[in-house]
Amino acid sequence: MFFKRQKAEGDWLIAGLGNPGKKYESTRHNVGFDGVDYLARQWNASVTKAKFEGLYGQAVVDGCKVLLLKPQTFMNLSGRSIQAAAEFFKIPLDHVIVLCDDITQKPGKLRIRPSGSAGGHNGLKDIIARFGSDGFARVRMGVGEKPNPEYDLANWVLGKMGGEDRKAFEARLPDVEAAVRLIIAGKLSEAQNKFN
């Protein structure tokens, strides 16, 4: 598999998970897109080039070349876009960082992991299936639990996140950027200690 090839330090792929289209903007499932958009603003990048079944842009961050990607495949096929971009730029899996929503965490909470199971997240599930490995970092951003057990999960994650929940999420975006910078610098455990 391509991700076992050795690659010089410096090239990173940061993918934010979400669903394309106006209908899904500001939904809980699209906080990964929101995270990538925030990073792009901070790093003077534009995530508008269409390729790899996604939208992408490039930046240089702390001396490293970084590819920012928003897959346009819909959530459940996110891995297809990420794999295509990683193969094209020869970026190994351990240089991939995924930003996504987490319904087990309250809005404003972050959970940074170097690897691990999908935890029921269909976007992560597809990435793991396509690469045959869970060896990529992820920054999971809290969007809150369903209001009650009977509430339909799809309706919850595809619902708009507004009010105090949105404010709590947006207040943590600078920490998302700081965490990503630490991961790129090889300090993932420091990012966990500071921001989890």
Side-chain angles (χ1 to χ4, degrees):
M1 302 280 289
F2 78 90
F3 55 83
K4 290 181 180 164
R5 289 182 206 147
Q6 291 304 304
K7 178 70 185 161
E9 290 292 319
D11 289 345
W12 286 82
L13 167 56
I14 302 169
L17 304 190
N19 288 308
K22 284 255 180 254
K23 169 181 174 182
Y24 298 104
E25 283 176 10
S26 303
T27 61
R28 293 177 183 87
H29 231 13
N30 271 38
V31 296
F33 279 8
D34 296 336
V36 163
D37 288 340
Y38 179 82
L39 296 180
R41 287 194 299 274
Q42 299 309 112
W43 300 340
N44 296 316
S46 174
V47 184
T48 52
K49 294 178 193 160
K51 198 172 180 174
F52 320 115
E53 294 186 86
L55 296 173
Y56 80 98
Q58 291 167 294
V60 176
V61 181
D62 301 331
C64 294
K65 285 186 280 181
V66 174
L67 183 79
L68 294 167
L69 177 69
K70 290 161 62 175
Q72 302 291 292
T73 52
F74 288 95
M75 182 64 80
N76 296 3
L77 297 173
S78 299
R80 201 163 74 190
S81 173
I82 294 168
Q83 187 179 41
E87 276 184 335
F88 184 85
F89 288 103
K90 297 184 172 59
I91 297 170
L93 189 58
D94 64 358
H95 275 214
V96 173
I97 303 169
V98 174
L99 310 183
C100 67
D101 59 297
D102 188 343
I103 60 163
T104 69
Q105 302 287 315
K106 290 179 179 169
K109 296 284 182 196
L110 301 179
R111 190 162 61 165
I112 298 158
R113 293 282 181 273
S115 60
S117 76
H121 193 289
N122 287 335
L124 293 176
K125 209 178 285 180
D126 190 60
I127 299 164
I128 292 166
R130 286 177 193 276
F131 283 94
S133 169
D134 66 2
F136 57 92
R138 66 286 309 261
V139 179
R140 296 185 66 146
M141 300 176 282
V143 296
E145 293 181 278
K146 298 188 295 180
N148 61 65
E150 288 76 42
Y151 199 97
D152 183 71
L153 179 61
N155 286 343
W156 179 247
V157 295
L158 297 177
K160 302 275 185 197
M161 185 168 68
E164 292 305 310
D165 286 356
R166 171 62 60 177
K167 279 186 198 159
F169 161 69
E170 289 180 349
R172 290 308 298 277
L173 286 170
D175 289 343
V176 170
E177 188 209 1
V180 166
R181 283 182 183 267
L182 283 171
I183 295 168
I184 288 171
K187 299 175 181 176
L188 188 140
S189 55
E190 187 180 326
Q192 289 180 295
N193 293 336
K194 278 184 91 164
F195 302 116
N196 275 359

